Amino acid sequence: MSRRQKKGRRREIKRVPRSDARLEEFDRRACPEDLVTRRQLRERGLSPGGHDPVAVLRCKACAYRPDQACIHPTRAWLYSVALARPKRVPTLEQEEALDRAMAARSTCPQCRRRYYFCLPLRTQGVCDPCDKGYEPSPHTYMTSSAAPVAHRLAA
C-alpha cells in the first residue's frame, strides 16, 4: 500500500543573498569577543541599554549555506558590549511595591495564609485547601515565624 501524497503547493523557500543582509552575520564559534547575545549580557550584569542589535548569529543549519543570509527563527541577535549599560537595580520602594503585589496574588482571603505560589483567585476565589476542605502542607505556605520581619520581601 502506497502513501497518499499531500495535495497543495510546496512551501516556497525564501533565499536572501548574504550580501543583501541588513546586519553583519557570524557563524557559531566565529563571532568577535565584543559581540554577545542578550543572555551573555545578562550573565555579565549588563543590558542592551536601548541599542538595537549590531549583528546576527547564524543558526546551525545555515552553516552549510555560506552564501545565503540566515532567516530562520533560531538565529540570535548580537549586541555590542561597548554600547551595553549596567542592569538597573530596583530601589527598596520598588521592591516593596512588587512584594505587596505578589502578596495580594498569593494570600488567601479566607484563611489569610500566604503561599509560595500564586492562587487561582479569579476562578476559585480562595486557595485549594479552603475550597476543597483539607489542611495544607506546612511547606506550601509562609509562616510568620519562618522569616524575620526585616526580610519579608518575596521579590
Side-chain angles (χ1 to χ4, degrees):
M1 188 167 205
S2 64
R3 283 186 162 172
R4 291 181 61 199
Q5 289 191 0
K6 288 184 182 179
K7 297 201 180 201
R9 291 178 30 187
R10 274 184 75 187
R11 199 173 61 146
E12 250 183 71
I13 298 174
K14 190 174 169 183
R15 290 194 169 104
V16 179
R18 196 165 178 179
S19 60
D20 293 346
R22 293 184 183 159
L23 294 173
E24 193 175 358
E25 294 187 354
F26 294 100
D27 288 322
R28 306 233 171 217
R29 295 184 181 83
C31 76
E33 296 284 327
D34 63 331
L35 297 180
V36 294
T37 62
R38 282 185 80 99
R39 186 171 289 180
Q40 291 168 332
L41 279 176
R42 194 177 332 127
E43 288 172 0
R44 296 179 186 190
L46 301 171
S47 71
H51 293 284
D52 291 332
V54 294
V56 174
L57 183 64
R58 294 164 54 89
C59 67
K60 193 161 57 168
C62 287
Y64 300 107
R65 296 185 282 278
D67 58 329
Q68 296 174 15
C70 180
I71 57 169
H72 295 102
T74 55
R75 68 178 182 251
W77 303 110
L78 295 172
Y79 297 89
S80 173
V81 176
L83 298 175
R85 294 183 185 159
K87 282 202 301 190
R88 295 188 311 173
V89 179
T91 63
L92 187 59
E93 290 82 16
Q94 289 172 329
E95 284 191 30
E96 286 174 351
L98 284 172
D99 187 58
R100 283 194 303 272
M102 287 306 296
R105 294 178 67 192
S106 60
T107 303
C108 176
Q110 191 171 344
C111 65
R112 307 303 301 164
R113 289 188 186 107
R114 183 171 177 186
Y115 289 87
Y116 290 110
F117 50 86
C118 294
L119 299 174
L121 297 176
R122 276 193 189 164
T123 54
Q124 269 178 227
V126 291
C127 62
D128 276 343
C130 290
D131 188 47
K132 297 188 175 50
Y134 63 88
E135 191 62 31
S137 332
H139 68 276
T140 58
Y141 62 90
M142 297 178 202
T143 57
S144 59
S145 62
V149 177
H151 298 289
R152 274 214 177 145
L153 296 179

